Amino acid sequence: MEFLYEYGLFFAKTLTFVIAIAVIVAIIMGAAVKPKAKKGEITIDDLSEQLDDLKQSFIENTLSKKELKAHQKQQKAAAKKQHSEDPKSRLYVIDFNGSVDAHEVESLREEITAILTIADKEKDRVLVRLESGGGVVHGYGLAASQLQRLRNAGVHLTVAIDKVAASGGYMMACVADEIVAAPFAIVGSIGVIAQIPNFNKILKKNDVDFEQITAGEYKRTLTLFGENTDKGREKFKQEIEETHGLFKTFVSEQRPSLDIDMVATGEHWFATQAFDKGLVDKIETSDDILLSQAKERQIFKVKYRIKKNLSDKLAVGLSTGLSKAGVSLMSRFKGLNP
């Protein structure tokens, strides 16, 4: 009986908490008749400081007391010398992990704009750690145009490919002054693909009519439910070829030394193979770049983040509360086991 009483009291408290939170969320969401667009902010992480902390921690745990004392003395002398010299130039780091629809370009444009407001084109550099298997043409075309803003401003741009930069991903990468790739990174796929299922036979089999009204002969070349024609297929293929031609032209303009007909077959290669074909300039990882640049530049990671509004925070709090309540309840039940 005592257990049932405690359980009932616990359940009542939990239920009250959940209902209270749900009511608050409902009130806030109901009041937001015209929700405002979410605003974001630029965050800066000092990667140089992180690397220094890592190095210092390793040194403190590996050197003897005598060696550590000598090292600290050497550090003080180096710091004093650096203080009297001109400030270090900077390396700004951006991460771009692209999806099929390339919606990450919204953050990319904010990050690049922020960098362009302060970067010294004579001394500072930008490193983009790029990972993408490609996606929609217009999305990745805009992403490449954002990187082109750096080139147009005279800021040196390096793109590092640790895993994959294919199709639209390579469209972005080829804008860079220098493309660096890890040995087994996948690079290339300079081609265009489009595919669409057609259910017209299934509709006919089940006596279902499908009507589609268009204005303009080629407003819809291929369709999901209508009967596709040879003329429509030919027009669709022509559009794909035109898009491929634009892609090839863009890559050729960015890297004129490429034998574009040899590499624009839609194939992809590992970076060591891509290096031989001129698709990348150097074989190394983004980590190698950071370590080498840390000796002469101050490194900052630039990230655009969307601010969470009150309803988002309450939703997270509610989820966390429910999780904790579930864990507490399970713990009580486990306490009954022998």
Side-chain angles (χ1 to χ4, degrees):
M1 289 297 292
E2 184 179 351
F3 165 74
L4 291 176
Y5 172 78
E6 289 183 358
Y7 174 75
L9 185 62
F10 168 77
F11 182 79
K13 288 181 178 179
T14 302
L15 185 61
T16 303
F17 172 77
V18 171
I19 291 174
I21 293 297
V23 169
I24 293 172
V25 172
I27 291 173
I28 292 173
M29 294 182 69
V33 179
K34 294 181 179 180
K36 295 180 180 179
K38 290 184 178 180
K39 293 182 178 180
E41 61 182 357
I42 292 290
T43 61
I44 308 293
D45 291 329
D46 190 337
L47 296 187
S48 291
E49 184 178 351
Q50 292 178 20
L51 288 171
D52 287 341
D53 290 344
L54 180 65
K55 179 181 177 181
Q56 189 62 30
S57 176
F58 188 80
I59 287 172
E60 289 175 357
N61 286 279
T62 55
L63 296 184
S64 65
K65 289 183 178 181
K66 185 178 179 180
E67 290 172 328
L68 182 59
K69 188 175 181 179
H71 172 75
Q72 291 171 342
K73 186 177 180 180
Q74 186 180 13
Q75 271 192 318
K76 287 180 181 179
K80 187 176 181 180
K81 181 181 178 182
Q82 183 180 336
H83 183 71
S84 62
E85 295 176 349
D86 294 334
K88 279 186 175 182
S89 54
R90 298 180 178 92
L91 174 67
Y92 299 103
V93 180
I94 297 174
D95 288 332
F96 186 89
N97 297 317
S99 57
V100 173
D101 64 355
H103 66 271
E104 297 84 2
V105 71
E106 296 302 323
S107 294
L108 180 67
R109 74 199 311 173
E110 298 289 346
E111 291 156 1
I112 288 175
T113 297
I115 290 171
L116 287 175
T117 62
I118 194 172
D120 184 334
K121 66 179 182 180
E122 301 297 332
K123 299 190 298 181
D124 297 340
R125 294 188 170 198
V126 175
L127 168 66
V128 175
R129 295 186 292 196
L130 174 63
E131 183 178 341
S132 175
V136 295
V137 175
H138 56 280
Y140 278 91
L142 179 57
S145 297
Q146 292 300 322
L147 297 186
Q148 188 69 54
R149 293 171 62 199
L150 293 167
R151 291 289 303 274
N152 293 344
V155 179
H156 187 279
L157 171 64
T158 299
V159 165
I161 308 166
D162 285 329
K163 293 181 181 178
V164 57
S167 195
Y170 189 75
M171 180 189 288
M172 292 178 66
C174 73
V175 175
D177 294 282
E178 181 181 41
I179 302 176
V180 176
F184 289 95
I186 294 173
V187 180
S189 190
I190 304 173
V192 182
I193 183 172
Q195 50 193 355
I196 180 172
N198 183 266
F199 301 98
N200 183 254
K201 291 182 179 180
I202 296 176
L203 296 181
K204 283 184 176 181
K205 184 178 180 180
N206 291 277
D207 296 323
V208 177
D209 292 329
F210 172 76
E211 294 185 7
Q212 180 176 260
I213 300 172
T214 61
E217 184 179 4
Y218 294 116
K219 178 60 180 176
R220 182 70 66 233
T221 52
L222 296 183
T223 172
L224 278 169
F225 302 107
E227 186 172 356
N228 290 321
T229 64
D230 289 338
K231 189 175 182 180
R233 292 187 187 94
E234 187 60 32
K235 178 61 178 176
F236 192 76
K237 187 175 185 300
Q238 178 188 334
E239 292 170 350
I240 295 296
E241 291 290 348
E242 289 173 354
T243 304
H244 188 215
L246 289 172
F247 192 176
K248 289 168 63 177
T249 299
F250 182 79
V251 175
S252 293
E253 289 173 349
Q254 305 302 322
R255 297 181 71 86
S257 61
L258 275 176
D259 183 344
I260 193 64
D261 291 326
M262 181 184 75
V263 298
T265 58
E267 298 171 83
H268 63 266
W269 299 274
F270 291 116
T272 48
Q273 300 168 313
F275 175 78
D276 294 334
K277 298 178 184 298
L279 290 164
V280 301
D281 301 303
K282 191 182 294 184
I283 302 298
E284 63 180 6
T285 67
S286 62
D287 305 289
D288 296 324
I289 298 174
L290 293 181
L291 286 175
S292 63
Q293 290 291 310
K295 298 174 183 177
E296 55 184 278
R297 300 179 189 277
Q298 192 73 18
I299 305 176
F300 297 102
K301 181 181 176 182
V302 181
K303 179 68 178 176
Y304 181 75
R305 300 182 189 278
I306 300 295
K307 291 182 179 178
K308 291 183 179 179
N309 56 35
L310 184 57
S311 60
D312 291 334
K313 292 178 180 179
L314 284 173
V316 172
L318 176 60
S319 175
T320 304
L322 287 172
S323 298
K324 289 182 177 178
V327 170
S328 179
L329 181 60
M330 289 298 294
S331 298
R332 285 174 177 262
F333 276 115
K334 285 181 179 179
L336 296 176
N337 294 332

